[in-house]
Amino acid sequence: MTRETPQKVPLLRDERFWRIAIQVIVLAIVGAIALILIANLNQNLRQQGTVFGFNFLRNPAGFSIGDTPISYRTNDPYLRALAVGLVNSLRVIGAGFILTTILGVMAGIASFSENWLLRKLSLVYVELVRNIPLLLQLFFWYFAVFFQLPPVQDKLNVGGVLFLSKRGVALPWPANLSATWLSLAALGAIAIAVFFLWQWRTHMMVEQGTSGQPQLIALAALGLTALFILSFGLSWQVPQDTGTTIRGGLQLSIEFAAILAGLVVYTSAFIAEIVRAGIQAVPKGQWEAARSLGLKSGLVMRLVVFPQALRVIIPGLNSQYMNLAKNSSLAIAIGYPDIYSVANTTYNQTGRPVEVFLLIMAAYLVINLIVSLLMNKLNQAVQLTER
């Protein structure tokens, strides 16, 4: 019996060779285009008498910034000015994530309410807001709402704790004391304990059929403790009206309030639709099974439907968070000094648009990569696991 030897395929007729060769050719073309662009950039910079680099960031900025959460003077370097702009952007993005999640989830759940008025209000809100351009809404919030507030002498006083005027919004805020930070650490520990206690209660109810009453009592005790710490442990500073100005508390400029309100209201409309789609993706059998156990509508949503809907909601939520972060660059339209606004002034003064735009793109890229990483971790945590 003779053994057959496989016939060798010619190189030019080998499919694997052409797959690799085509990829190498495409990479070579992309690399050549990049080299041409870089050479063109260097030639243009030489014609302008400059060299690519970031040493200009050490030069004094020489311009003022209206909203400075960290210390800043006009003779500080450009790097410090860009850091102020970055912190301002992170303030808007961080507060936007929290508020838009609350409003979007509430609006999404309201679309399933048995209350006719609440259901229709949710529908009107979503259809009205998401069909109007964001830039137009920002102008509305700034020029038609916050810019029309009275001067500080005639400010609006809401219960002696909230003041609204053309100078800004003043509201209570925890004092920067060691006791405040200890209270915040205690609240964080309570939040972790509540999470694990809730998981334990669910496990006991599902796996062993217990009532979960002891864990519920413990949760109530933790809730009361957290409420006590929130009320008395954070050393709240209430704004004080001195007649011509407001002192103490948290002072927000009308530009910050307008960009935050615009982003939250706009993004929440899309999140409401994502939540609605996620809830509708839960099979009707799950609703009927929960109701057959005697659960009321609120418990059906909280214990059965919404946890399953999270698997559909979170990927869409990730996209909306990243959209909010990128849309915050529209703050320049209403004069809020975010990183794009500060960078715009920087490259106008220094004549370094390439370097400055690279810094801006790197900042937004890092922010969105971090958001995407955290949301992917959360998505993995809520997925079903095989037993």
Side-chain angles (χ1 to χ4, degrees):
M1 183 176 182
T2 58
R3 187 174 181 180
E4 295 183 359
T5 56
Q7 291 184 348
K8 187 176 181 180
V9 179
L11 184 64
L12 295 179
R13 295 177 60 185
D14 192 338
E15 187 177 349
R16 293 174 300 174
F17 166 77
W18 283 111
R19 286 178 182 173
I20 297 173
I22 290 173
Q23 294 181 54
V24 171
I25 292 170
V26 170
L27 283 176
I29 293 173
V30 172
I33 293 173
L35 289 175
I36 292 171
L37 292 176
I38 292 172
N40 186 53
L41 171 65
N42 287 327
Q43 184 179 358
N44 290 335
L45 290 175
R46 280 196 301 271
Q47 289 177 353
Q48 295 175 2
T50 58
V51 178
F52 182 84
F54 294 92
N55 290 332
F56 70 94
L57 293 174
R58 301 173 186 171
N59 299 334
F63 60 86
S64 61
I65 299 176
D67 209 333
T68 54
I70 59 175
S71 64
Y72 172 77
R73 294 171 298 179
T74 54
N75 58 351
D76 281 340
Y78 285 110
L79 187 60
R80 183 75 178 180
L82 290 171
V84 173
L86 179 60
V87 174
N88 277 336
S89 291
L90 292 177
R91 288 172 66 202
V92 172
I93 293 169
F97 284 171
I98 297 170
L99 297 177
T100 201
T101 303
I102 296 172
L103 180 59
V105 171
M106 288 175 61
I109 293 177
S111 62
F112 294 91
S113 173
E114 296 176 354
N115 185 303
W116 179 87
L117 179 60
L118 195 59
R119 198 167 60 249
K120 294 302 177 184
L121 281 176
S122 171
L123 177 65
V124 171
Y125 161 66
V126 170
E127 295 301 326
L128 180 68
V129 170
R130 70 174 184 166
N131 290 308
I132 298 176
L134 174 58
L135 185 60
L136 190 59
Q137 294 189 39
L138 290 179
F139 286 144
F140 168 79
W141 282 105
Y142 183 64
F143 292 109
V145 178
F146 289 100
F147 203 71
Q148 299 303 319
L149 290 173
V152 68
Q153 294 83 1
D154 304 321
K155 56 192 155 305
L156 299 176
N157 185 343
V158 183
V161 295
L162 177 64
F163 297 93
L164 302 166
S165 70
K166 204 179 286 289
R167 189 171 292 179
V169 179
L171 64 160
W173 192 251
N176 188 14
L177 302 173
S178 56
T180 303
W181 291 106
L182 287 174
S183 298
L184 288 174
L187 287 174
I190 288 175
I192 295 171
V194 166
F195 173 77
F196 285 108
L197 196 56
W198 184 270
Q199 295 288 329
W200 183 32
R201 179 172 181 264
T202 304
H203 174 78
M204 296 293 287
M205 292 174 68
V206 173
E207 299 292 337
Q208 300 184 13
T210 60
S211 64
Q213 194 71 17
Q215 293 84 4
L216 186 62
I217 295 173
L219 286 170
L222 287 174
L224 290 174
T225 306
L227 184 62
F228 180 81
I229 294 174
L230 278 172
S231 303
F232 303 103
L234 296 182
S235 306
W236 291 95
Q237 279 188 342
V238 179
Q240 300 297 321
D241 180 11
T242 61
T244 56
T245 185
I246 304 294
R247 292 181 180 174
L250 180 64
Q251 309 276 341
L252 303 176
S253 66
I254 59 172
E255 289 80 13
F256 177 87
I259 182 67
L260 183 61
L263 287 175
V264 167
V265 172
Y266 181 78
T267 311
S268 296
F270 291 89
I271 290 180
E273 281 297 274
I274 292 171
V275 171
R276 187 180 65 82
I279 291 174
Q280 282 186 331
V282 177
K284 288 185 179 179
Q286 296 292 315
W287 293 76
E288 294 168 355
R291 289 192 182 111
S292 68
L293 294 174
L295 296 177
K296 295 181 180 178
S297 299
L299 290 176
V300 170
M301 180 65 71
R302 184 164 58 87
L303 297 179
V304 179
V305 176
F306 197 72
Q308 298 182 67
L310 280 176
R311 302 180 190 109
V312 179
I313 292 172
I314 289 177
L317 207 59
N318 184 13
S319 298
Q320 291 306 318
Y321 284 162
M322 289 194 289
N323 284 340
L324 188 149
K326 290 179 285 189
N327 288 337
S328 67
S329 61
L330 291 174
I332 190 175
I334 56 173
Y336 180 68
D338 71 325
I339 186 171
Y340 181 75
S341 175
V342 175
N344 186 54
T345 306
T346 300
Y347 75 70
N348 279 332
Q349 288 190 354
T350 60
R352 300 279 189 162
V354 177
E355 292 90 337
V356 173
F357 271 106
L358 284 176
L359 290 174
I360 300 174
M361 288 190 292
Y364 282 110
L365 179 64
V366 170
I367 291 171
N368 279 315
L369 286 177
I370 292 173
V371 171
S372 183
L373 177 66
L374 295 177
M375 292 302 292
N376 285 336
K377 291 290 183 185
L378 181 60
N379 190 34
Q380 291 174 1
V382 300
Q383 294 301 314
L384 287 174
T385 54
E386 297 289 339
R387 296 184 179 178

